[in-house]
Amino acid sequence: VGTSVFRYIPTTNTTTYFSLPIKLFNSELCSGLQPITYMNDFTSTCNQPVNQQTCLNALNGDKYINSFSLVTNPSTLANNLTSITCTPSGGSAANWSNSTCSDALQILTLTIFYTNPTGIQTCTVALSVNQINSSLVEQTFNVRFIRTGSTNLTSPSRSGNPGYSTRAPIIAGTLNGNSISTSTFSVLRPSIGGDCSGTPSIPIRFGENIQSTCQFSPASSCPNQTELSSIFLSITSFNIYVAAYGNSDPSNVTGNWLLATYCVYDIGSSNEPVCLSGSRPNPSGNECYTRMDIQIAYANTGSVSNPQPILGAVIFHYQRINITTTTTLTKPLLITQTVTFQDLSNAPVTEGDQLPKPNVRLPGDFFYPFTLNRANVAISFSSFCYLLIMFVFTLM
């Protein structure tokens, strides 16, 4: 998301950024160009002056219907470039005659069909033209991205490039030899009656906070460590790796994947939580887990105009209570799960008291006695000094 879309020009075998006209500042004229970026819809309306030059260029729809091609994926620019020719609909080449521009382009609608991670699959371009004999004509440009097919959440291959895309699935899995075997990363969804069904079905997506609460049956044993993986998570292992990038390589475990950290806290205890990386802390004898909070920290990297969210840490916070028996519950137990995303791009703002300002007075001005409002005192003081000096010289 946010990567520039490239246009391929077959006649010259060159590529260029695909841009469309926009208006700048307070002007209604088409005075600038806006690059089109992948998966970001675009709409622009601006006025185009009508003359012979613009009729054969900016108002000429022929450049959109004559071998108009888009690069399917920017990764192919370096080697084995692949492009798709957009299917035209309507429009024709503009013509200038007798101060009139025939078949002038007024509305362009470009529809781009894509799948991830392949990229652009097909595209269509529809033109609306008219005969213009005025000095200005309003042009409208529309670009729409439509996803074709569906992404298999069981084994997601990419959720961004390189940073995560908003609402894209968080990629997670377990270590299988020297690579990561990915699987659905989700939390428990309660059944229609509110009971814990034991089948996690709410996928964890980037930027979407989740809170889910279900009711554990009184006829069941209190959830303990052996049930945590089946009740709270879809991945039946505590050796969970989470992809730091939206396009993390499963074979690059060290550089692209984060090992989850697990923390356990006893409700009502004054002790600090016990945390371990890659494994659960040792359980106590009488335990009953009632809550799991997943905290996912990320930071934006790259350019300001196209930030890329990169994950930095994934922490599972478990809360438990100590009980005297784990055989049968006497009343329903509420189990809560949450997922929270925390942006660490900017340092937290700390608001404190302002520094005290000391009451410092400026030193007395030497020339203060000579100011206007102290003129009389100054004259008397000067006369006294003069007489004193004369008296000293007389004694000498």
Side-chain angles (χ1 to χ4, degrees), residues 96-323:
W96 176 260
S97 179
N98 298 326
S99 300
T100 300
C101 185
S102 302
D103 295 327
L105 174 63
Q106 282 196 279
I107 302 176
L108 179 144
T109 301
L110 177 65
T111 305
I112 300 176
F113 299 89
Y114 71 94
T115 59
N116 285 329
T118 305
I120 298 175
Q121 299 294 302
T122 58
C123 55
T124 61
V125 54
L127 306 179
S128 176
V129 298
N130 205 345
Q131 181 172 309
I132 307 297
N133 54 12
S134 60
S135 59
L136 289 175
V137 60
E138 185 179 79
Q139 281 189 312
T140 301
F141 301 90
N142 301 304
V143 178
R144 297 290 179 266
F145 287 86
I146 299 178
R147 182 178 180 179
T148 59
S150 60
T151 301
N152 184 7
L153 294 179
T154 302
S155 181
S157 56
R158 178 176 289 180
S159 290
N161 184 25
Y164 275 94
S165 304
T166 302
R167 296 184 296 276
I170 298 295
I171 306 173
T174 55
L175 185 62
N176 183 14
N178 296 324
S179 63
I180 302 296
S181 297
T182 59
S183 60
T184 303
F185 191 31
S186 57
V187 295
L188 178 66
R189 184 193 301 272
S191 64
I192 297 177
D195 294 331
C196 301
S197 62
T199 305
S201 56
I202 303 179
I204 300 176
R205 301 179 182 274
F206 180 78
E208 292 184 349
N209 295 337
I210 301 173
Q211 179 170 336
S212 175
T213 302
C214 61
Q215 182 175 271
F216 204 74
S217 174
S220 303
S221 300
C222 186
N224 52 37
Q225 185 188 19
T226 59
E227 297 177 291
L228 285 182
S229 58
S230 61
I231 293 178
F232 288 96
L233 289 172
S234 57
I235 302 175
T236 57
S237 172
F238 291 108
N239 190 25
I240 297 178
Y241 286 81
V242 180
Y245 303 90
N247 60 351
S248 291
D249 184 2
S251 61
N252 187 3
V253 180
T254 304
N256 288 185
W257 296 82
L258 304 171
L259 189 59
T261 299
Y262 299 89
C263 297
V264 174
Y265 174 74
D266 293 327
I267 299 177
S269 174
S270 59
N271 297 329
E272 293 292 330
V274 180
C275 300
L276 290 177
S277 179
S279 63
R280 277 272 292 103
N282 293 328
S284 60
N286 300 321
E287 57 187 8
C288 183
Y289 291 88
T290 60
R291 186 181 180 97
M292 180 193 69
D293 300 302
I294 302 178
Q295 183 183 14
I296 302 177
Y298 70 94
N300 290 317
T301 63
S303 64
V304 177
S305 60
N306 185 23
Q308 299 294 313
I310 308 300
L311 302 190
V314 178
I315 305 175
F316 294 81
H317 299 272
Y318 287 98
Q319 294 186 21
R320 65 188 180 188
I321 56 177
N322 290 324
I323 57 177

Side-chain angles (χ1 to χ4, degrees), residues 31-48:
S31 50
L33 292 174
Q34 174 68 48
I36 305 303
T37 55
Y38 185 63
M39 289 177 61
N40 290 326
D41 292 344
F42 171 84
T43 297
S44 172
T45 299
C46 55
N47 295 329
Q48 195 73 249

Side-chain angles (χ1 to χ4, degrees), residues 1 3 8 35 51 55 57 68 108 130 150 172 235 243 245 299 317 330 332 342 345 352 383 385 387 390:
V1 177
T3 302
Y8 174 65
N51 52 50
C55 181
N57 291 278
F68 181 74
L108 179 144
N130 205 345
S150 60
I235 302 175
Y245 303 90
H317 299 272
T330 58
Q342 184 175 0
S345 302
S383 301
C385 292
L387 294 175
M390 293 297 296

